[in-house]
Amino acid sequence: TGTLQNGICHGQGKMIFNNGEIYIGAWMNNKFHGHGQKYNTDGTSWTGEWRDGAPYNGNGTLRTANGSVVTGKWRNGNKTLF
């Protein structure tokens, strides 16, 4: 569900993929872009900023399948010390 522009996801929306993964958040040109949450079938999730379909630098929260939560600043997919 969400906003379509010229037949593609653009704006706020929710997508449930065929493999069971779920993304809720901002879209641009059919890619995750802006703030959003992605829930994976292995029990992990990522909440934070996305650019061009991938997690982006900035604040975010990773939840692992075993219940661990890592929140903070991220750069290139890794948590930074600052």
Side-chain angles (χ1 to χ4, degrees):
T1 61
T3 306
L4 293 177
Q5 182 177 10
N6 298 320
I8 61 172
C9 299
H10 195 87
Q12 293 294 312
K14 175 181 179 179
M15 176 79 72
I16 301 172
F17 296 91
N18 289 337
N19 66 0
E21 293 180 347
I22 300 169
Y23 176 78
I24 303 168
W27 295 79
M28 187 167 73
N29 297 322
N30 236 25
K31 295 181 181 178
F32 313 155
H33 196 90
H35 188 79
Q37 300 96 24
K38 183 168 184 266
Y39 302 92
N40 301 306
T41 57
D42 66 0
T44 61
S45 68
W46 169 260
T47 301
E49 294 298 313
W50 296 81
R51 291 290 180 272
D52 296 321
Y56 188 67
N57 300 339
N59 293 321
T61 300
L62 172 68
R63 288 181 171 80
T64 66
N66 69 7
S68 297
V69 178
V70 181
T71 300
K73 294 236 182 236
W74 297 78
R75 179 177 298 281
N76 301 322
N78 298 302
K79 188 172 180 306
T80 64
L81 298 175
F82 304 102

